[in-house]
Amino acid sequence: MEKIEKLKSLINESNNIVFFGGAGVSTESGIPDFRSVDGLYNQKFEYQPEEILSHNFFFKHTDVYYKFHKTRLISYDAKPNDCHLGLAELERLGKLKAVITQNIDGLHQMAGSKNVVELHGSMLRNYCTKCKEFYSVDYIKQSEGIPTCTKCGSIIKPDIVLYGESLNQKSIQDAIRYISEAELLIIGGTSLVVYPAASLIEYFRGDNLVLINKGETPRDSLADLVIREPIGKVFKQVL
Ligand code: CNA
């Protein structure tokens, strides 16, 4: 309770907040993360999820990739939770400058956030690997097997950053700018072990660093405030 009060006052006092988050932000919306006990890495599949979610695997075993993508990655009925909604509200109030996310589920935008830096892309966007024609997630969902382009017949690829692929340069630059200019950085729902995304928080030079995560992270000792509670529950109490 004391920690919640501290977070409330830090938020009240700042008009330059940046949020950096990961898969744990969406678990309370029913989307599994990677590394929790009930996360995707602890479930049994034909191949390890790390292997499936890689650039080479996508092009070598596109059918297996899409089976995993359609049944495990696409979140069919997920709705924003109190964390997504709270962050959108802080932005409307002019207090929060940006949400920087490793998530690919689009829930921050669904909650009303406008300034969202998607470090790992979005599964809501999909492109033909040859002619670059755009396809919605509904097209991917409804396709049988491997989705192909209606114009040129080539394979469609989700606009997400797979292992072995580079992050978008503009997203990195935007993230660095927001983090380095922030006064209060709130990090939440991320194990902080996926690089280079996790390294971006090293650009923080502001006054207060808050970490809200169910499990321990390698950065806990650097934070001014660590809250080990479900992040949606935390935001419900703060706003
Ligand atoms: P991760 O490595 O799975 O870590 C998630 C962290 O969140 C863990 O430390 C958990 O303890 C913590 N956590 C889980 N639920 C909660 C909660 N309710 N409140 C607070 N903490 C919680 O995920 P990261 O984001 O760190 O790893 C980066 C990967 C995961 C990115 O490439 C994402 O694209 C990828 N991912 C995204 C989604 C999504 O878009 N929703 C889902 C699964 C994986």
Side-chain angles (χ1 to χ4, degrees), residues 22-24 26-28 31-36 102-105 120 189-192 194 213-215 229-231:
S26 295
T27 54
E28 286 160 85
I31 304 176
D33 62 8
F34 279 173
R35 291 176 182 79
S36 289
Q102 298 164 86
N103 291 350
I104 55 170
D105 56 31
H120 293 159
T190 170
S191 57
L192 291 176
V194 176
N213 207 60
K214 276 212 240 172
E229 299 278 339
I231 196 160

Side-chain angles (χ1 to χ4, degrees), residues 30-50 52 68 71-73:
I31 304 176
D33 62 8
F34 279 173
R35 291 176 182 79
S36 289
V37 275
D38 52 355
L40 291 175
Y41 284 7
N42 291 312
Q43 298 174 21
K44 287 267 170 292
F45 300 108
E46 207 176 336
Y47 296 86
Q48 288 298 315
E50 296 97 312
I52 301 175
F68 184 85
T71 57
R72 305 292 165 161
L73 281 195

Side-chain angles (χ1 to χ4, degrees), residues 31-181:
I31 304 176
D33 62 8
F34 279 173
R35 291 176 182 79
S36 289
V37 275
D38 52 355
L40 291 175
Y41 284 7
N42 291 312
Q43 298 174 21
K44 287 267 170 292
F45 300 108
E46 207 176 336
Y47 296 86
Q48 288 298 315
E50 296 97 312
E51 196 182 349
I52 301 175
L53 293 169
S54 70
H55 178 85
N56 288 347
F57 192 95
F58 178 86
F59 287 102
K60 204 165 160 197
H61 305 284
T62 316
D63 53 339
V64 183
Y65 174 87
Y66 266 114
K67 208 168 131 198
F68 184 85
H69 186 94
K70 290 186 202 179
T71 57
R72 305 292 165 161
L73 281 195
I74 296 183
S75 39
Y76 288 91
D77 299 311
K79 297 272 176 301
N81 62 49
D82 288 317
C83 174
H84 301 103
L85 295 168
L87 292 168
E89 178 61 14
L90 288 176
E91 187 186 33
R92 265 193 298 274
L93 294 170
K95 296 181 78 61
L96 182 119
K97 300 300 174 210
V99 167
I100 300 164
T101 183
Q102 298 164 86
N103 291 350
I104 55 170
D105 56 31
L107 288 184
H108 286 293
Q109 290 91 334
M110 204 191 280
S113 284
K114 301 275 180 269
N115 205 9
V116 182
V117 179
E118 292 176 316
L119 291 173
H120 293 159
S122 171
M123 66 182 163
L124 305 186
R125 300 186 295 266
N126 302 273
Y127 292 96
C128 169
T129 47
K130 193 168 177 202
C131 74
K132 308 296 175 215
E133 180 73 11
F134 171 85
Y135 289 91
S136 69
V137 70
D138 289 332
Y139 182 83
I140 304 296
K141 273 191 230 170
Q142 284 151 15
S143 62
E144 293 256 339
I146 300 173
T148 51
C149 180
T150 53
K151 299 220 160 125
C152 74
S154 300
I155 294 168
I156 294 169
K157 186 174 177 295
D159 186 15
I160 61 177
V161 179
L162 296 171
Y163 290 111
E165 293 178 344
S166 307
L167 274 64
N168 173 286
Q169 271 309 315
K170 173 151 186 347
S171 301
I172 295 182
Q173 281 160 9
D174 287 348
I176 291 175
R177 182 165 47 82
Y178 286 120
I179 291 172
S180 59
E181 290 173 1

